[in-house]
C-alpha cells in the first residue's frame, strides 16, 4: 500500500498504451531533478513512457518546482525520507507497463539513450537487467554505471591499495572492471541503479529491492539475486547518459558509512558462512589502512575532511560491520 501520500496526477495516455515507466527518486536535488526531467523529455524520442517522480520529503521545494515545470509527471510527495530502495519499491507499485527504468535525479539523458536501452533489453531477454554507459559533465567516462561483485580478491586489492594504484588493471581493480571503457556490449555482475532497465515482471518476481538497503548496495543485491535465477545483466554503450554520482549524499563521512554498511550487508547476504568472516575482516582492514594513511597525512600537514571521515568510519566499525537491519517494504 502507498499509505498517506500526496500525489499529483495528469493522465496523458491510455493505460495500455505505455510501454515504459520511468521512476525518479528525488531528495533535495531540486535543480538537478528539473534538469534530469528536461533532458529526459527532450531526448526520449518516440518512446511511449510514463514518468513517476517520488519525492522523499525534500526540504528544498523540489516537489513544488517539479509540479510547476512538469505537470505531465506523476508526482508523489512522500512525507518521510524512505531511502532509495523503499521509495523505488513503493513507486513500482504504480507501474502498469511491461518495462520499468530507474533513473537518478543527478543525470542528463542523451539523445536516443532511452530507446536504445529499451531496444537492447528486448534483443537480450536473458540479460534480465540492462544498463548503459555513463559520463561526467565534461564527457569523460564515469565508470560507475556497472561493477563486478565483491570477492575475496577484490577486497584484498582494495584493502592494500592495489585497486587505487592500478585503476586500469582488470587484475588489480576487478570490481571496477579496470581497463574497460564501457564502450562495448558486455555481461557484468551489477548494473547500477542510476540507469537500470528491467522487465516489470522480473522486478516483481524478485520482489524489487530489499528494503533494508537504505542507500547503496540495493542494485548489487538485486542483480546478484537475478543471476541466481539464471539472468545475466548486461551493459550497452549505445545508451549513454551523464551522471554526477552522489548528489544526494554530500557529507563524506555519512556516505562512507553507508557504503561500508552496504558492502558488509552484501557479504552477509551473498557469501557463504565459511568465507563471510574473511570478507568482514578484509573490510575492517581496508578501513584501518585508510586510517593509517590518514594519520600519516596529518603528520606531514596534509590532513583534511577526507582523513577525518576515515577516522569516523573506523570508530563506528562495530555498527557498519553488522550491515543493514531488517525493514519491511
Amino acid at each position: 500500500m502507498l499509505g498517506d501520500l500526496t500525489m499529483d496526477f495528469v493522465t496523458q495516455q491510455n493505460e495500455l498504451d505505455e510501454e515504459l515507466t520511468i521512476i525518479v527518486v528525488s531528495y533535495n536535488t531540486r535543480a538537478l531533478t528539473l534538469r534530469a526531467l528536461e533532458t529526459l523529455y527532450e531526448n526520449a524520442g518516440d518512446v511511449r513512457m510514463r514518468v513517476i517522480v517520488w519525492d522523499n520529503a525534500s526540504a528544498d521545494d523540489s516537489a513544488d518546482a517539479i509540479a510547476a515545470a512538469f505537470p505531465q509527471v506523476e508526482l508523489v510527495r512522500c512525507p518521510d525520507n524512505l531511502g532509495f530502495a523503499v521509495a523505488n519499491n513503493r513507486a513500482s507499485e504504480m507501474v502498469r507497463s511491461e518495462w520499468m527504468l530507474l533513473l537518478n535525479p543527478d543525470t542528463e539523458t542523451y539523445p536516443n539513450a532511452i530507446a536504445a536501452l529499451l531496444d537492447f533489453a528486448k534483443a537480450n531477454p536473458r540479460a534480465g537487467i540492462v544498463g548503459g554507459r555513463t559520463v561526467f559533465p565534461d564527457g569523460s567516462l564515469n565508470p560507475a554505471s556497472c561493477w563486478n561483485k565483491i570477492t575475496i580478491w577484490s577486497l584484498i586489492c582494495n584493502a592494500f591499495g592495489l585497486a587505487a594504484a592500478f585503476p586500469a588493471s582488470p587484475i588489480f581493480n576487478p570490481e571496477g572492471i579496470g581497463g574497460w571503457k564501457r564502450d562495448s556490449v558486455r555481461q557484468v555482475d551489477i548494473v547500477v541503479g542510476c540507469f537500470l532497465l528491467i522487465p516489470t515482471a522480473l522486478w516483481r518476481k524478485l520482489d524489487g529491492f530489499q528494503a533494508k538497503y537504505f542507500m547503496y548496495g540495493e542494485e548489487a543485491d538485486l542483480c546478484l539475486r537475478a543471476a541466481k535465477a539464471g539472468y545475466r545483466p548486461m551493459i550497452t554503450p549505445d545508451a549513454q547518459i551523464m551522471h554526477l554520482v552522489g548528489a544526494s549524499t554530500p557529507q563524506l563521512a555519512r556516505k562512507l558509512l553507508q557504503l561500508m554498511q552496504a558492502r558488509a550487508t552484501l557479504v552477509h547476504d551473498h557469501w557463504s558462512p565459511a568465507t563471510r568472516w574473511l570478507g568482514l575482516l578484509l573490510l575492517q582492514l581496508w578501513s584501518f589502512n585508510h586510517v593509517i594513511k590518514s594519520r600519516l597525512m596529518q603528520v606531514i600537514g596534509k590532513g583534511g575532511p577526507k582523513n577525518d571521515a576515515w577516522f569516523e568510519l573506523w570508530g563506528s566499525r562495530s555498527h557498519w560491520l553488522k550491515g543493514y537491519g531488517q525493514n519491511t517494504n
Side-chain angles (χ1 to χ4, degrees):
M1 299 296 292
L2 292 178
D4 296 329
L5 303 168
T6 302
M7 289 172 278
D8 300 343
F9 292 107
V10 175
T11 303
Q12 285 198 315
Q13 54 194 21
N14 186 287
E15 291 183 4
L16 300 179
D17 188 45
E18 64 199 21
E19 183 176 24
L20 172 68
T21 300
I22 299 175
I23 298 174
V24 179
V25 175
S26 173
Y27 178 64
N28 291 332
T29 52
R30 174 180 170 174
L32 293 173
T33 304
L34 291 173
R35 180 59 179 162
L37 292 172
E38 179 184 353
T39 58
L40 173 61
Y41 281 110
E42 282 179 353
N43 297 314
D46 297 328
V47 176
R48 293 177 283 112
M49 66 181 189
R50 171 190 180 204
V51 180
I52 299 172
V53 175
W54 183 287
D55 186 72
N56 258 340
S58 294
D60 62 353
D61 296 321
S62 287
D64 287 341
I66 293 165
F70 298 98
Q72 68 270 45
V73 163
E74 295 191 30
L75 174 65
V76 180
R77 302 169 185 256
C78 185
D80 302 301
N81 179 14
L82 302 181
F84 185 77
V86 173
N88 276 291
N89 284 353
R90 296 286 183 88
S92 73
E93 295 173 16
M94 304 163 59
V95 174
R96 305 179 294 260
S97 58
E98 181 180 357
W99 300 89
M100 53 182 283
L101 171 70
L102 308 185
L103 184 69
N104 268 25
D106 56 345
T107 61
E108 294 183 12
T109 302
Y110 287 4
N112 201 46
I114 303 299
L117 191 63
L118 191 57
D119 288 344
F120 181 76
K122 292 176 182 177
N124 295 276
R126 294 311 301 168
I129 299 171
V130 299
R133 188 175 191 266
T134 56
V135 297
F136 289 114
D138 64 0
S140 62
L141 174 67
N142 176 352
S145 62
C146 56
W147 304 98
N148 275 339
K149 64 185 178 183
I150 303 170
T151 64
I152 291 175
W153 174 243
S154 76
L155 287 180
I156 290 173
C157 290
N158 286 326
F160 291 98
L162 296 173
F166 305 101
S169 168
I171 296 175
F172 296 122
N173 186 18
E175 283 184 47
I177 321 177
W180 177 44
K181 297 181 179 179
R182 279 59 171 170
D183 54 358
S184 60
V185 170
R186 184 163 176 165
Q187 180 181 316
V188 297
D189 291 332
I190 298 160
V191 174
V192 173
C194 68
F195 191 42
L196 183 155
L197 180 68
I198 184 172
T200 304
L202 177 57
W203 172 268
R204 290 181 175 150
K205 177 182 177 181
L206 297 172
D207 293 324
F209 289 141
Q210 285 201 70
K212 64 183 177 181
Y213 288 88
F214 182 80
M215 190 75 178
Y216 305 117
E218 64 288 311
E219 69 270 82
D221 171 74
L222 181 77
C223 290
L224 292 174
R225 288 187 285 118
K228 289 179 181 177
Y231 294 91
R232 297 294 178 263
M234 296 179 72
I235 289 291
T236 174
D238 295 333
Q240 182 167 292
I241 65 169
M242 187 281 292
H243 183 210
L244 287 175
V245 182
S248 61
T249 53
Q251 295 180 359
L252 179 58
R254 182 162 63 97
K255 181 176 180 178
L256 277 176
L257 173 60
Q258 291 173 333
L259 283 169
M260 293 298 274
Q261 196 166 16
R263 292 175 71 83
T265 308
L266 290 168
V267 170
H268 281 291
D269 287 354
H270 294 281
W271 288 37
S272 71
T275 59
R276 192 175 299 144
W277 68 271
L278 180 56
L280 297 176
L281 178 64
L282 288 169
L283 284 176
Q284 290 185 80
L285 183 60
W286 184 12
S287 174
F288 178 74
N289 284 345
H290 271 284
V291 168
I292 297 300
K293 179 181 176 181
S294 297
R295 180 66 69 189
L296 292 174
M297 294 296 287
Q298 286 184 338
V299 169
I300 64 175
K302 294 186 177 181
K306 188 171 184 178
N307 298 319
D308 293 339
W310 283 106
F311 290 134
E312 188 172 334
L313 182 72
W314 176 250
S316 61
R317 63 191 180 280
S318 62
H319 170 67
W320 55 259
L321 281 169
K322 297 176 183 177
Y324 283 118
Q326 298 292 332
N327 294 314
T328 59
N329 284 305

